[in-house]
Amino acid sequence: MKYVVCIPDGCADLPVPELGGATPLEAAQTPMLDALAARGEVGLAQVIPPGMPAGSDVGHMSIFGYDPVKYHTGRSPIEAAALGLELASDQVAYRCNLVTVTEDNIMADFAGGHPDSQSAAEVIRALDKELGGEVSFHPGVQYRHTMVAPASWADAECTPPHEISDQPLVGPVGPAGAKLTALAEAASPIVCRFGLKANRIWLWGQGFQPEMPSFWDMHGVRAGMVTAVDLVRGIGVLTAMTVTEVVGATGWYDTNYEGKRDAALAGLRDGADLYVIHVEASDEAGHEGNVAEKVRCLENWDKRILTGLVAGLDQMGPWKLLLLPDHATPLTLRGHTDDPVPYLMVDSETDGPGGVYTERGAAGAELVLGHQLMARFLN
């Protein structure tokens, strides 16, 4: 049996006025997804435990079968693992976004204009050279980077920048808040020298490195993943999954859908039991409030991943597929919510009750705890 987990990041939504009150899942033309839902099981999963932040770190940990209440220590240490950083016990990692802020202190773009990774890396290296010492800066992908600091810097409450799009800045508070603010202010003239749309850094998501059992020890299957996002890659690294790099995988609308699909199929043919396919684009569209692009992302999933994926799986023998987002990213809110999300489970050998894979299609289903879904899927 081969297993595939498909994660259209943040695809769940609320009714959208521009779509006549439909959600993107309802408005998108997705014939393959519709056919899979008609032969599978559509349900509802609480991927974000009550009281925990509605972030991709928590949501993906749940999807992979790890209870975030037990294993989650923060977002940035997961991304640090993706960069090959091993934190000492007296170190804490912060996410370091390149962001664009207006003159009147409004968060104009939490992604800093989506710089290419090479250009962004030049900025981060300059920050490390000029401000490093007690702290260190490490380049990641596009606008997403990491800062490592002493453990004494951990005690601060920081607002995720994507939660305050087009809103006034909410600076860090707590014992380490003043240090973070001073560092961000010192970084601004350095960032501005490089001619990017980004003009400052934003530090958040701090935590100590978590200790997680391998995916094999947890579930007894050999697993791999394809993603363009350090956060998701970091969970793969921490759980000893095989992480496949795909040329043209960007974490943006222009990502290489077919490359991710083909890499997963190749990994399964080469001996993996399970592969995760993660695409960030639908989450980015939600944060931007880009209705047309979010619909297009879902249609790309259908025609550029699912259609060829099912054909490739059929050639290998029996298979199972699980599809769900890590959280909802409603277009009208431009941020994450902790609402339950619809999931789809399909078994090539046994038809399920059938359903419609939308928010309303799953609304009446029994609620499943997100971190329990993987074991149910594999068993």
Side-chain angles (χ1 to χ4, degrees), residues 30-33 298-307:
T30 53
M32 176 54 73
L33 180 59
L298 294 171
E299 293 178 342
N300 280 333
W301 256 101
D302 198 73
K303 64 186 177 183
R304 299 175 64 182
I305 293 183
L306 291 178
T307 299

Side-chain angles (χ1 to χ4, degrees), residues 267-348:
L268 292 168
R269 284 192 295 267
D270 289 345
D273 303 306
L274 178 149
Y275 242 80
V276 174
I277 303 175
H278 170 261
V279 177
E280 178 77 0
S282 45
D283 182 62
E284 297 287 357
H287 286 303
E288 289 209 327
N290 192 329
V291 178
E293 197 60 58
K294 190 160 188 181
V295 172
R296 189 176 300 115
C297 294
L298 294 171
E299 293 178 342
N300 280 333
W301 256 101
D302 198 73
K303 64 186 177 183
R304 299 175 64 182
I305 293 183
L306 291 178
T307 299
L309 179 65
V310 170
L313 290 171
D314 282 338
Q315 295 176 2
M316 294 186 209
W319 52 268
K320 293 181 72 175
L321 181 146
L322 173 65
L323 184 147
L324 77 164
D326 51 334
H327 51 68
T329 310
L331 288 155
T332 54
L333 301 179
R334 299 184 64 177
H336 301 168
T337 72
D338 60 2
D339 297 328
V341 299
Y343 72 82
L344 169 63
M345 199 179 297
V346 184
D347 186 328
S348 67

